[in-house]
């Protein structure tokens, strides 16, 4: 027991001196859109700041490259991989890019996603199916593709899988039967990975976000959309407040989170600070839903 504690203590001490993720390799999916900073972008920048080599992935490779350029300008190391996380060839493509460039994978952050809101009784099959494909099937397939590079026993190598869920997945939400179901499924997937891969020293955790100021929570009236399978899907929340002084009485902290605050929750779960945390769902919600 004393030896194990000593190993953990030493790992933490070394990491603090060089960054919490010094020398580690992380794949992060889903970056940003227009002028809104995404959680993925913030996580990529934060991971790089803490010493990680980051494989930055986005549907639009140009957006991924912008984030890579930001990381490199700050002295970090990163590569961009474009592609649809739901595409059959995507998992192997990003895993191969990571291992060819850096030789290993320490962390997978399944962050990519979007909403396709409808009231349950008006939700068409395609709106249901695409959300399950991107939020459940895609993370499962990426984790599976990375298995040969993560399921091995090595002395205290820090490795983790972090899947992004939502307060909708924990409590349900009006107009989000598809999204809430997918985000609830992610929790079950994470717990299973934790149980199957724990013996290899791989931790698996979920981070469930509440109201974070991103493209998905801006006012729907602004007309933001994303094209999925040739169909335009409207993004945002009807009547959402775009006021820095807006009040949110349903959130105990009375405000929404910034993407940087959301990313900090992801960093915690990936870092040695969470070395004995696995199978857990971290709620980064400002207290919403308690």
């Amino acid at each position: 027991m004393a030896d194990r504690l000593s190993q953990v203590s030493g790992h933490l001490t070394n990491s603090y001196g060089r960054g919490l993720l010094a020398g580690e390799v992380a794949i992060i999916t889903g970056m940003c859109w227009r002028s809104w900073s995404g959680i993925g972008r913030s996580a990529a920048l934060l991971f790089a700041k803490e010493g990680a080599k980051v494989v930055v992935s986005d549907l639009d490779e140009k957006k991924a490259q912008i984030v890579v350029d930001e990381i490199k300008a700050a002295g970090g190391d990163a590569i961009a991989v474009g592609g649809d996380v739901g595409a059959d060839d995507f998992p192997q493509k990003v895993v191969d890019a990571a291992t060819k460039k850096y030789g290993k994978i320490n962390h997978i952050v399944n962050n990519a996603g979007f909403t396709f809101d409808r009231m349950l009784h008006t939700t068409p099959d395609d709106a249901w199916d695409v959300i399950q494909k991107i939020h459940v099937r895609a993370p499962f397939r990426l984790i599976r593709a990375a298995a040969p590079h993560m399921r091995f026993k090595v002395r205290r190598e820090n490795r983790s899988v972090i899947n992004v869920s939502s307060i909708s997945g924990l409590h349900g939400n009006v107009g989000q039967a598809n999204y809430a179901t997918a985000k609830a499924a992610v929790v079950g997937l994470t717990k299973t990975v934790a149980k199957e891969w724990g013996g290899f020293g791989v931790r698996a955790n979920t981070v469930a976000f509440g109201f974070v100021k991103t493209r998905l929570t801006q006012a729907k009236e602004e007309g933001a959309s994303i094209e999925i399978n040739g169909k335009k899907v409207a993004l945002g929340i009807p009547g959402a407040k775009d006021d820095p002084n807006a009040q949110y009485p349903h959130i105990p902290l009375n405000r929404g989170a910034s993407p940087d605050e959301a990313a900090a929750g992801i960093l915690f779960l990936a870092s040695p600070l969470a070395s004995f945390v696995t199978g857990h769902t971290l709620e980064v919600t400002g207290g919403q839903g308690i």
Side-chain angles (χ1 to χ4, degrees):
M1 181 66 174
D3 289 343
R4 192 171 184 84
L5 289 174
S6 176
Q7 290 172 4
V8 174
S9 176
H11 186 89
L12 287 172
T13 301
N14 292 337
S15 294
Y16 276 123
R18 301 172 295 142
L20 286 169
L21 304 178
E24 298 175 5
V25 178
I27 295 173
I28 302 177
T29 65
M31 289 298 114
C32 54
W33 180 84
R34 286 189 185 175
S35 62
W36 286 71
S37 294
I39 295 171
R41 170 184 173 273
S42 289
L45 294 173
L46 186 56
F47 273 47
K49 182 179 179 182
E50 290 297 331
K53 299 169 183 178
V54 187
V55 179
V56 178
S57 177
D58 193 79
L59 181 62
D60 185 339
E61 189 164 351
K62 292 180 180 178
K63 291 186 175 72
Q65 187 60 50
I66 289 172
V67 177
V68 168
D69 292 343
E70 288 184 81
I71 290 172
K72 289 185 174 181
D77 192 353
I79 59 171
V81 179
D84 178 357
V85 295
D88 287 346
D89 65 346
F90 176 81
Q92 202 59 53
K93 176 183 178 181
V94 71
V95 165
D96 287 348
T99 54
K100 180 179 180 180
K101 176 67 175 179
Y102 298 120
K104 64 177 182 177
I105 298 171
N106 293 88
H107 307 285
I108 295 175
V109 179
N110 282 306
N111 170 71
F114 64 97
T115 54
F116 198 160
D117 295 351
R118 296 286 189 278
M119 295 299 286
L120 187 150
H121 64 286
T122 65
T123 300
D125 286 351
D126 62 345
W128 178 273
D129 292 343
V130 72
I131 290 297
Q132 311 312 311
K133 179 179 182 180
I134 299 303
H135 292 270
V136 185
R137 183 176 182 267
F140 153 70
R141 295 185 73 247
L142 179 53
I143 295 167
R144 185 180 63 184
H149 305 283
M150 298 187 76
R151 280 172 52 93
F152 58 87
K153 293 189 177 182
V154 62
R155 185 176 179 271
R156 301 308 303 169
E157 178 101 7
N158 183 31
R159 284 164 288 154
S160 73
V161 172
I162 300 167
N163 293 319
V164 173
S165 183
S166 163
I167 194 169
S168 294
L170 303 182
H171 302 289
N173 195 28
V174 174
Q176 291 192 322
N178 53 358
Y179 185 74
T181 299
K183 288 308 190 184
V186 163
V187 176
L189 172 62
T190 305
K191 289 179 181 291
T192 300
V193 176
K195 289 184 175 183
E196 291 191 3
W197 291 17
F200 297 93
V202 180
R203 299 177 296 107
N205 292 290
T206 307
V207 56
F209 293 123
F211 184 84
V212 183
K213 297 175 182 177
T214 69
R215 62 176 180 168
L216 299 185
T217 57
Q218 65 179 350
K220 199 165 191 174
E221 291 77 7
E222 292 187 14
S225 64
I226 186 173
E227 188 171 305
I228 302 296
N229 297 329
K231 179 181 292 187
K232 186 174 288 187
V233 178
L235 300 175
I237 301 173
K241 305 169 185 177
D242 188 17
D243 177 1
N245 298 313
Q247 302 293 298
Y248 298 89
H250 62 295
I251 302 175
L253 289 184
N254 202 30
R255 64 179 179 83
S258 70
D260 287 350
E261 289 178 306
I266 298 175
L267 173 65
F268 165 70
L269 291 174
S271 79
L273 296 174
S275 62
F276 203 61
V277 178
T278 193
H280 179 66
T281 298
L282 176 65
E283 296 185 37
V284 181
T285 66
Q288 184 180 358
I290 62 174

